[in-house]
Amino acid sequence: MTFEPDKHERQLIEQGYTLIEGITSADEAEVVLKEFGTLIPQYNGEIRYDVKASDEYRKRTFSKSVNGIPWHIDAPSWEPPPLRMALHCRRQARCGAGHTELVDMRPFIASLDEEDHAALYERAVPWIDRNTKDGVTRPIIEVTADGQEIIRWRQSLLVGNSDPRLLGERGERRPLGEFGVRLAELSDRWIAQHMVPVLIPDDAILLWDNVRLIHRRGTFEDPARHLARYWMAAR
């Protein structure tokens, strides 16, 4: 196991993510991750969620498929969302694809003009997903009582969606209207220049700040790819 808690915590603070290698079991993964926060149950009620392709989901944009997943944070409909998340690679895809791509959104937000910047803090968005009954209505950036910022993001929510619970004020399928479309276009251009693709090695954990970085997954072909996902709250 290659594990130096102080070094990895420093990388999390400085760049928003870190890679921990030599983690050969689920028990080891949980011991290591408890150094960085409190492990919390996920949608399935379990601490660990297996990310492995199944024929049942082959036509869906879903973690248990081989399809790509657009830019997002995990569980934006939760209050609060998981503050950190991790993927433990049990077997990486042998096709050379299936990268986890990360990008820190704070520099992008700082690059926006004054009006757009303010809108991220002021315009409310309904955050609901198929696994959450009620969800929350919050701006893209929420400032907590202790001054911390939570960035919620789902690219598909900006450009349009098919969920009738997410309709905007005039019934449009874009809760932020044309502003959301423009924000998606601006972010796409910025992300293309700043994202970090990571093909997580076997027996390694990619750990990152879920309310600062957004992530996506590229399409891959090897259905034997197997990761385990963990969510963490603050200690």
Side-chain angles (χ1 to χ4, degrees):
M1 182 189 305
T2 306
F3 178 48
E4 302 174 55
D6 291 344
K7 181 189 79 171
H8 294 297
E9 183 67 36
R10 185 170 62 253
Q11 289 176 343
L12 276 168
I13 293 169
E14 292 175 353
Q15 64 187 21
Y17 68 93
T18 189
L19 189 70
I20 306 169
E21 299 186 85
I23 311 300
T24 59
S25 70
D27 288 342
E28 280 188 2
E30 292 188 20
V31 169
V32 166
L33 291 173
K34 285 176 182 177
E35 294 289 326
F36 301 97
T38 300
L39 293 169
I40 59 176
Q42 302 179 50
Y43 297 124
N44 63 351
E46 303 293 333
I47 294 295
R48 185 178 72 250
Y49 173 86
D50 284 319
V51 180
K52 194 172 187 300
S54 166
D55 284 344
E56 180 181 355
Y57 303 106
R58 65 184 181 277
K59 294 183 179 181
R60 287 177 53 184
T61 302
F62 189 55
S63 57
K64 291 182 181 290
S65 74
V66 297
N67 302 318
I69 300 175
W71 292 105
H72 66 289
I73 72 161
D74 268 26
S77 58
W78 285 27
E79 182 55 49
L83 299 184
R84 288 175 170 174
M85 66 172 291
L87 291 174
H88 179 205
C89 182
R90 309 312 308 274
R91 183 191 184 279
Q92 188 48 268
R94 303 300 190 238
C95 60
H99 293 68
T100 301
E101 298 175 345
L102 304 170
V103 66
D104 187 344
M105 292 302 281
R106 290 181 182 177
F108 167 70
I109 291 163
S111 74
L112 296 174
D113 64 33
E114 184 176 350
E115 182 178 355
D116 287 348
H117 187 273
L120 296 185
Y121 291 82
E122 296 168 0
R123 295 190 60 173
V125 179
W127 300 98
I128 301 172
D129 57 47
R130 64 174 64 92
N131 296 303
T132 304
K133 180 180 179 181
D134 298 318
V136 297
T137 298
R138 297 287 187 276
I140 288 177
I141 306 176
E142 177 185 0
V143 182
T144 64
D146 59 0
Q148 302 298 309
E149 291 190 344
I150 291 175
I151 300 173
R152 289 179 168 87
W153 196 272
R154 184 183 291 145
Q155 200 81 350
S156 59
L157 192 66
L158 300 177
V159 299
N161 66 86
S162 58
D163 191 329
R165 298 174 298 172
L166 303 180
L167 299 183
E169 293 178 357
R170 295 186 299 274
E172 72 275 14
R173 295 193 180 277
R174 296 168 178 161
L176 288 174
E178 292 305 313
F179 169 67
V181 175
R182 183 161 52 83
L183 183 62
E185 292 172 349
L186 289 171
S187 64
D188 278 342
R189 290 196 293 268
W190 192 90
I191 288 168
Q193 299 178 45
H194 296 90
M195 70 177 181
V196 177
V198 182
L199 190 61
I200 311 171
D202 289 351
D203 298 327
I205 291 175
L206 180 62
L207 169 65
W208 70 91
D209 185 329
N210 183 55
V211 295
R212 170 182 165 190
L213 276 62
I214 62 173
H215 65 283
R216 74 175 178 185
R217 184 186 74 197
T219 301
F220 60 98
E221 297 178 356
D222 183 359
R225 177 185 186 267
H226 182 194
L227 307 179
R229 186 180 71 196
Y230 298 87
W231 288 349
M232 280 158 279
R235 291 189 184 87

